[in-house]
Amino acid sequence: MSESTLRIGLVLPDVMGTYGDGGNALVLRQRARMRGIEAEIVQITLDDDVPDSLDVYTLGGAEDFAQRLATRHLTKHAGMQRAAAAGRPVLAICAAIQVLGHWYETAAGERVDGVGLFDATTSPMAERAIGELVTAPLVDGLSQPLTGFENHRGATSLGADARPLGTVRHGTGNALGGGVEGVVQGSVLGTYMHGPLLARNPELADYLLAQATGAPLAPLELPEVDRLRRERLAAAR
Protein backbone atom coordinates (compact mmCIF):
# COMPACT_ATOMS: atom_id res chain seq x y z
CA MET A 1 0.00 0.00 0.00
CA SER A 2 1.18 3.54 -0.68
CA GLU A 3 2.07 5.63 2.36
CA SER A 4 -1.20 7.56 2.31
CA THR A 5 -3.90 5.89 0.22
CA LEU A 6 -5.14 2.36 -0.48
CA ARG A 7 -5.69 2.10 -4.25
CA ILE A 8 -8.44 -0.30 -5.33
CA GLY A 9 -8.54 -1.29 -8.99
CA LEU A 10 -11.95 -1.68 -10.61
CA VAL A 11 -10.88 -3.48 -13.76
CA LEU A 12 -12.85 -3.05 -16.99
CA PRO A 13 -16.25 -2.11 -15.52
CA ASP A 14 -17.25 -0.99 -19.03
CA VAL A 15 -17.25 -4.61 -20.25
CA MET A 16 -17.03 -6.75 -17.06
CA GLY A 17 -19.78 -4.99 -15.09
CA THR A 18 -22.97 -6.75 -16.13
CA TYR A 19 -24.01 -8.01 -12.67
CA GLY A 20 -23.19 -5.11 -10.37
CA ASP A 21 -19.91 -6.64 -9.22
CA GLY A 22 -18.37 -3.17 -9.13
CA GLY A 23 -19.98 -3.03 -5.70
CA ASN A 24 -17.08 -5.12 -4.42
CA ALA A 25 -14.69 -2.21 -4.92
CA LEU A 26 -17.15 0.08 -3.10
CA VAL A 27 -17.28 -2.32 -0.14
CA LEU A 28 -13.49 -2.48 0.08
CA ARG A 29 -13.25 1.31 0.00
CA GLN A 30 -15.93 1.81 2.63
CA ARG A 31 -14.59 -0.82 5.03
CA ALA A 32 -11.13 0.72 4.73
CA ARG A 33 -12.43 4.23 5.37
CA MET A 34 -14.42 3.07 8.39
CA ARG A 35 -11.09 2.06 9.91
CA GLY A 36 -9.48 5.41 9.16
CA ILE A 37 -7.61 4.15 6.07
CA GLU A 38 -7.67 6.54 3.13
CA ALA A 39 -8.87 4.63 0.06
CA GLU A 40 -9.75 5.38 -3.54
CA ILE A 41 -11.14 3.39 -6.48
CA VAL A 42 -9.15 3.48 -9.71
CA GLN A 43 -11.37 2.62 -12.70
CA ILE A 44 -9.55 0.93 -15.56
CA THR A 45 -11.48 0.84 -18.85
CA LEU A 46 -10.71 -0.41 -22.34
CA ASP A 47 -9.17 3.02 -22.99
CA ASP A 48 -6.59 2.56 -20.22
CA ASP A 49 -3.39 0.67 -19.60
CA VAL A 50 -3.58 -1.63 -16.54
CA PRO A 51 -1.15 -0.38 -13.88
CA ASP A 52 0.86 -2.80 -11.79
CA SER A 53 1.01 -0.35 -8.87
CA LEU A 54 -2.43 -0.81 -7.29
CA ASP A 55 -2.97 -2.51 -3.93
CA VAL A 56 -5.92 -4.75 -4.84
CA TYR A 57 -7.77 -5.52 -8.09
CA THR A 58 -11.42 -6.50 -8.67
CA LEU A 59 -13.09 -7.86 -11.80
CA GLY A 60 -16.76 -8.68 -12.45
CA GLY A 61 -18.92 -10.85 -14.67
CA ALA A 62 -19.92 -10.46 -18.32
CA GLU A 63 -21.18 -12.25 -21.44
CA ASP A 64 -19.14 -13.99 -24.15
CA PHE A 65 -18.37 -10.98 -26.36
CA ALA A 66 -17.38 -8.80 -23.40
CA GLN A 67 -15.15 -11.61 -22.13
CA ARG A 68 -13.29 -11.57 -25.44
CA LEU A 69 -12.69 -7.82 -25.17
CA ALA A 70 -11.49 -8.18 -21.58
CA THR A 71 -9.19 -11.10 -22.42
CA ARG A 72 -7.62 -9.21 -25.30
CA HIS A 73 -7.08 -6.08 -23.20
CA LEU A 74 -5.62 -7.86 -20.17
CA THR A 75 -3.28 -9.87 -22.40
CA LYS A 76 -2.00 -6.70 -24.07
CA HIS A 77 -1.82 -4.68 -20.83
CA ALA A 78 -0.41 -7.12 -18.27
CA GLY A 79 -0.05 -4.88 -15.23
CA MET A 80 -2.48 -6.89 -13.16
CA GLN A 81 -0.56 -10.07 -13.87
CA ARG A 82 2.65 -8.41 -12.69
CA ALA A 83 0.90 -7.19 -9.54
CA ALA A 84 -0.41 -10.70 -8.84
CA ALA A 85 3.09 -12.12 -9.27
CA ALA A 86 4.22 -9.61 -6.63
CA GLY A 87 1.54 -10.90 -4.23
CA ARG A 88 -1.13 -8.22 -4.65
CA PRO A 89 -4.67 -9.59 -4.12
CA VAL A 90 -6.97 -9.99 -7.13
CA LEU A 91 -10.69 -10.81 -6.88
CA ALA A 92 -12.29 -12.35 -9.99
CA ILE A 93 -16.07 -12.87 -10.20
CA CYS A 94 -17.86 -15.36 -12.48
CA ALA A 95 -16.78 -14.77 -16.11
CA ALA A 96 -13.56 -13.23 -14.81
CA ILE A 97 -12.57 -16.73 -13.60
CA GLN A 98 -12.82 -17.89 -17.18
CA VAL A 99 -10.89 -14.90 -18.55
CA LEU A 100 -8.07 -15.50 -16.05
CA GLY A 101 -7.83 -19.24 -16.80
CA HIS A 102 -5.86 -21.04 -19.52
CA TRP A 103 -8.86 -21.12 -21.86
CA TYR A 104 -12.64 -21.04 -21.90
CA GLU A 105 -15.11 -22.42 -24.38
CA THR A 106 -17.99 -20.27 -25.59
CA ALA A 107 -21.60 -21.40 -25.88
CA ALA A 108 -20.95 -21.80 -29.61
CA GLY A 109 -18.12 -24.24 -28.91
CA GLU A 110 -15.20 -21.96 -29.74
CA ARG A 111 -12.16 -22.16 -27.47
CA VAL A 112 -10.64 -18.81 -26.44
CA ASP A 113 -7.22 -18.50 -24.82
CA GLY A 114 -7.27 -16.82 -21.40
CA VAL A 115 -4.79 -14.77 -19.42
CA GLY A 116 -3.34 -17.76 -17.53
CA LEU A 117 -3.42 -16.50 -13.93
CA PHE A 118 -5.48 -19.58 -12.99
CA ASP A 119 -4.55 -23.18 -13.72
CA ALA A 120 -8.14 -23.69 -14.83
CA THR A 121 -10.28 -24.27 -17.92
CA THR A 122 -13.99 -23.72 -18.49
CA SER A 123 -16.51 -25.43 -20.78
CA PRO A 124 -20.29 -24.98 -21.07
CA MET A 125 -22.60 -27.07 -18.88
CA ALA A 126 -25.78 -28.58 -20.30
CA GLU A 127 -27.91 -26.40 -18.01
CA ARG A 128 -27.40 -22.96 -16.52
CA ALA A 129 -26.75 -22.71 -12.76
CA ILE A 130 -28.98 -20.00 -11.25
CA GLY A 131 -29.75 -19.42 -7.58
CA GLU A 132 -28.34 -18.99 -4.11
CA LEU A 133 -24.91 -20.51 -3.56
CA VAL A 134 -23.39 -21.30 -0.15
CA THR A 135 -19.94 -22.78 0.45
CA ALA A 136 -17.67 -23.66 3.34
CA PRO A 137 -14.34 -21.87 2.74
CA LEU A 138 -11.11 -23.82 2.29
CA VAL A 139 -8.78 -20.84 2.76
CA ASP A 140 -6.79 -20.25 5.96
CA GLY A 141 -8.12 -17.12 7.62
CA LEU A 142 -11.73 -17.65 6.49
CA SER A 143 -14.10 -19.45 8.84
CA GLN A 144 -17.61 -18.23 7.98
CA PRO A 145 -19.79 -19.66 5.19
CA LEU A 146 -19.58 -17.77 1.91
CA THR A 147 -22.87 -16.76 0.31
CA GLY A 148 -23.74 -15.34 -3.09
CA PHE A 149 -25.95 -15.65 -6.17
CA GLU A 150 -24.65 -17.75 -9.06
CA ASN A 151 -25.79 -17.25 -12.65
CA HIS A 152 -23.52 -19.06 -15.08
CA ARG A 153 -23.27 -21.92 -17.54
CA GLY A 154 -19.55 -22.44 -17.23
CA ALA A 155 -18.11 -25.62 -15.72
CA THR A 156 -14.62 -24.83 -14.42
CA SER A 157 -12.00 -27.55 -13.94
CA LEU A 158 -8.97 -26.85 -11.77
CA GLY A 159 -5.43 -28.01 -12.52
CA ALA A 160 -2.75 -29.03 -10.06
CA ASP A 161 -1.59 -25.47 -9.34
CA ALA A 162 -5.04 -24.20 -8.36
CA ARG A 163 -7.31 -25.11 -5.45
CA PRO A 164 -10.99 -24.46 -4.77
CA LEU A 165 -12.19 -21.57 -2.67
CA GLY A 166 -14.79 -23.68 -0.88
CA THR A 167 -16.94 -26.81 -0.76
CA VAL A 168 -20.55 -26.48 -1.89
CA ARG A 169 -23.27 -26.65 0.74
CA HIS A 170 -26.06 -25.34 -1.48
CA GLY A 171 -26.06 -24.67 -5.22
CA THR A 172 -23.87 -25.78 -8.11
CA GLY A 173 -20.48 -24.07 -7.91
CA ASN A 174 -17.79 -24.93 -10.44
CA ALA A 175 -19.69 -27.85 -11.95
CA LEU A 176 -22.83 -29.88 -11.34
CA GLY A 177 -22.00 -32.62 -8.85
CA GLY A 178 -18.40 -31.49 -8.47
CA GLY A 179 -18.82 -30.34 -4.89
CA VAL A 180 -16.41 -27.39 -5.01
CA GLU A 181 -16.63 -23.71 -5.89
CA GLY A 182 -14.24 -21.02 -6.97
CA VAL A 183 -10.49 -21.03 -7.39
CA VAL A 184 -7.49 -19.77 -5.45
CA GLN A 185 -3.97 -19.53 -6.84
CA GLY A 186 -1.36 -17.42 -5.11
CA SER A 187 -2.93 -14.06 -4.27
CA VAL A 188 -5.67 -14.44 -6.91
CA LEU A 189 -9.13 -15.55 -5.79
CA GLY A 190 -12.10 -16.34 -8.03
CA THR A 191 -15.73 -17.23 -7.34
CA TYR A 192 -19.04 -17.55 -9.17
CA MET A 193 -20.81 -15.59 -6.41
CA HIS A 194 -22.50 -12.30 -7.21
CA GLY A 195 -24.32 -10.25 -4.61
CA PRO A 196 -22.10 -8.19 -4.59
CA LEU A 197 -19.94 -10.86 -3.02
CA LEU A 198 -18.15 -8.66 -0.48
CA ALA A 199 -21.34 -6.98 0.74
CA ARG A 200 -22.58 -10.43 1.72
CA ASN A 201 -19.24 -11.71 3.05
CA PRO A 202 -17.50 -9.10 5.23
CA GLU A 203 -14.95 -11.61 6.48
CA LEU A 204 -13.73 -12.12 2.93
CA ALA A 205 -13.68 -8.36 2.32
CA ASP A 206 -11.45 -7.90 5.36
CA TYR A 207 -9.27 -10.83 4.28
CA LEU A 208 -8.55 -9.02 1.00
CA LEU A 209 -8.05 -5.70 2.77
CA ALA A 210 -5.55 -7.24 5.17
CA GLN A 211 -3.61 -8.65 2.20
CA ALA A 212 -3.72 -5.28 0.46
CA THR A 213 -2.60 -3.25 3.47
CA GLY A 214 -0.17 -5.80 4.87
CA ALA A 215 -1.53 -5.24 8.38
CA PRO A 216 -4.16 -6.74 10.70
CA LEU A 217 -7.49 -4.92 10.79
CA ALA A 218 -9.59 -3.80 13.73
CA PRO A 219 -13.03 -5.48 13.72
CA LEU A 220 -16.15 -3.60 12.59
CA GLU A 221 -19.51 -3.96 14.34
CA LEU A 222 -22.19 -3.64 11.66
CA PRO A 223 -25.50 -5.24 12.74
CA GLU A 224 -27.16 -4.48 9.39
CA VAL A 225 -24.52 -6.54 7.58
CA ASP A 226 -25.08 -9.41 10.02
CA ARG A 227 -28.82 -9.24 9.28
CA LEU A 228 -28.15 -9.39 5.54
CA ARG A 229 -26.00 -12.48 6.00
CA ARG A 230 -28.65 -14.23 8.07
CA GLU A 231 -31.33 -13.43 5.48
CA ARG A 232 -29.31 -14.71 2.55
CA LEU A 233 -28.17 -17.87 4.33
CA ALA A 234 -31.80 -18.56 5.29
CA ALA A 235 -32.86 -18.08 1.67
CA ALA A 236 -30.57 -20.95 0.64
CA ARG A 237 -32.13 -23.48 2.99
Side-chain angles (χ1 to χ4, degrees):
M1 187 178 74
S2 68
E3 291 184 3
S4 58
T5 303
L6 178 75
R7 303 184 73 209
I8 302 161
L10 179 55
V11 182
L12 302 181
D14 46 344
V15 289
M16 301 289 284
T18 305
Y19 300 100
D21 298 309
N24 290 318
L26 292 172
V27 171
L28 290 173
R29 185 180 68 182
Q30 182 63 15
R31 293 185 73 86
R33 288 178 173 179
M34 293 177 78
R35 293 178 166 95
I37 302 170
E38 291 295 325
E40 66 178 12
I41 295 173
V42 179
Q43 291 202 35
I44 302 155
T45 72
L46 288 176
D47 294 325
D48 304 316
D49 194 357
V50 182
D52 59 11
S53 58
L54 305 183
D55 299 299
V56 55
Y57 296 76
T58 66
L59 302 92
E63 282 74 41
D64 283 354
F65 181 69
Q67 284 180 251
R68 288 175 179 272
L69 294 175
T71 303
R72 188 179 307 135
H73 192 79
L74 294 174
T75 300
K76 181 179 179 181
H77 304 280
M80 186 180 68
Q81 292 91 300
R82 293 193 297 272
R88 312 271 176 73
V90 177
L91 175 64
I93 305 295
C94 197
I97 293 177
Q98 302 168 24
V99 168
L100 298 189
H102 291 308
W103 56 260
Y104 60 90
E105 189 176 332
T106 69
E110 182 179 357
R111 185 173 292 187
V112 180
D113 289 337
V115 172
L117 276 180
F118 287 140
D119 184 12
T121 60
T122 303
S123 301
M125 295 188 291
E127 297 183 5
R128 195 169 189 84
I130 303 177
E132 292 293 322
L133 175 60
V134 178
T135 70
L138 295 171
V139 175
D140 290 341
L142 297 178
S143 60
Q144 299 177 9
L146 297 170
T147 168
F149 189 88
E150 63 180 335
N151 182 5
H152 64 99
R153 198 182 163 195
T156 296
S157 300
L158 306 183
D161 292 333
R163 56 194 173 96
L165 173 63
T167 56
V168 175
R169 291 185 176 178
H170 180 92
T172 299
N174 287 359
L176 185 63
V180 297
E181 197 279 326
V183 53
V184 179
Q185 188 166 338
S187 62
V188 189
L189 185 153
T191 176
Y192 278 105
M193 295 184 185
H194 302 286
L197 168 75
L198 298 184
R200 295 174 59 157
N201 300 280
E203 183 184 51
L204 179 56
D206 288 349
Y207 173 86
L208 293 170
L209 280 176
Q211 284 189 314
T213 60
L217 301 174
L220 295 176
E221 298 295 332
L222 298 172
E224 63 274 21
V225 175
D226 295 336
R227 286 197 300 271
L228 172 64
R229 280 187 57 76
R230 288 196 298 270
E231 289 171 3
R232 300 326 305 161
L233 286 168
R237 296 193 184 107

